[in-house]
Amino acid sequence: MDSELHATEVKCRDGETFSVHAHGPRLTLITAPDTDMTAASALAPYRRPSDPWDGLALYGGMPVEAVRSFCALHGGVAQIGRTAQTLLRALPSEADPPAEQAPAVETPIPDSRPSVADLVNAGTHDFLGRPLTPEQMQLDYLTPAVIEARRGLTEVEGALVLGLGHAEATPRLAALERRAEVASLSGSRLCLLDHSRYAAHPLRAEAIKLRKRLAEARKKALAEIAREA
């Protein structure tokens, strides 16, 4: 190999020399003399727009057959640099099978099944999405919640009983804290009202009123606690 030949160069038998460069993992460019012979060669369709410099032109995206044809016009290859040889061997060939097209992306079919939350609200499944037995579906949780709310409301709307609540607080503050806690707990059980399975429950109207009164009692107790603090 000629010691003056660069690793990226290819020298043809008639003395014509061109360079091969890799500008990316899938982009190999050839810099060849911008002559009439080159313009008439198999490289011509692969010329890339560029500003000509020193009488050179830039080519890219060509198959290896186009480079072989260009070399044949100049009598064949006389010398080739190691880098140029590696890059030219990696060029695609016209004989290569066409690349497989990626399979079309199928539009997902929306899931029309009810969600677990819908099933729970309907009273047919538990919170893990498991179907309830007929015996389980017959259970009525709202009635005991209403009974508990009645008891809680009686306490929180009654006279303040000193001595109840946390011992470290003053008697009045402890009683107010207990009142707020009882109102909150009793009212929280009435969240069952939000389930569609209780939409026609005979105690629904009473439960709505109880929840509202318990919320008002809790709000009032918290306001008094704030004033006592």
Side-chain angles (χ1 to χ4, degrees):
M1 180 180 294
D2 190 339
S3 59
E4 295 182 357
L5 190 70
H6 192 272
T8 61
E9 291 182 333
V10 179
K11 186 176 182 180
C12 297
R13 294 186 184 277
D14 65 356
E16 195 74 84
T17 302
F18 63 92
S19 300
V20 186
H21 308 275
H23 284 236
R26 297 183 181 180
L27 179 60
T28 298
L29 299 178
I30 287 180
T31 305
D34 188 10
T35 63
D36 292 340
M37 185 177 290
T38 305
S41 72
L43 284 180
Y46 304 98
R47 181 164 180 167
R48 291 184 167 238
S50 62
D51 295 330
W53 73 97
D54 294 334
L56 299 175
L58 194 64
Y59 301 86
M62 58 276 154
V64 68
E65 287 82 3
V67 182
R68 290 173 181 166
S69 176
F70 174 79
C71 293
L73 287 176
H74 295 279
V77 176
Q79 295 175 333
I80 184 170
R82 187 181 303 275
T83 301
Q85 185 177 40
T86 301
L87 293 176
L88 291 177
R89 284 178 175 175
L91 285 178
S93 171
E94 294 175 344
D96 293 338
E100 295 184 3
Q101 294 184 350
V105 179
E106 297 183 0
T107 303
I109 301 175
D111 191 351
S112 59
R113 295 175 298 177
S115 65
V116 173
D118 293 334
L119 295 173
V120 171
N121 287 337
T124 58
H125 292 67
D126 63 14
F127 286 96
L128 295 178
R130 298 174 300 193
L132 298 176
T133 64
E135 293 77 14
Q136 290 174 319
M137 285 190 287
Q138 291 175 3
L139 291 178
D140 173 17
Y141 295 104
L142 184 57
T143 296
V146 169
I147 294 173
E148 178 62 29
R150 290 171 183 166
R151 294 173 181 167
L153 188 64
T154 299
E155 178 178 338
V156 300
E157 288 188 342
L160 194 64
V161 180
L162 302 181
L164 298 178
H166 302 290
E168 61 269 16
T170 64
R172 176 174 172 76
L173 188 58
L176 288 171
E177 289 177 348
R178 173 177 170 79
R179 173 166 290 186
E181 183 179 0
V182 170
S184 178
L185 291 175
S186 299
S188 65
R189 295 193 62 189
L190 295 177
C191 66
L192 295 169
L193 285 169
D194 300 327
H195 291 197
S196 58
R197 66 181 296 188
Y198 296 115
H201 196 282
L203 297 179
R204 178 176 175 79
E206 180 185 357
I208 293 174
K209 294 179 181 179
L210 286 170
R211 183 164 64 174
K212 181 178 180 181
R213 290 171 65 181
L214 286 166
E216 292 174 350
R218 178 177 180 273
K219 182 179 179 181
K220 182 178 179 181
L222 291 176
E224 293 189 41
I225 291 173
R227 287 194 294 269
E228 291 284 334

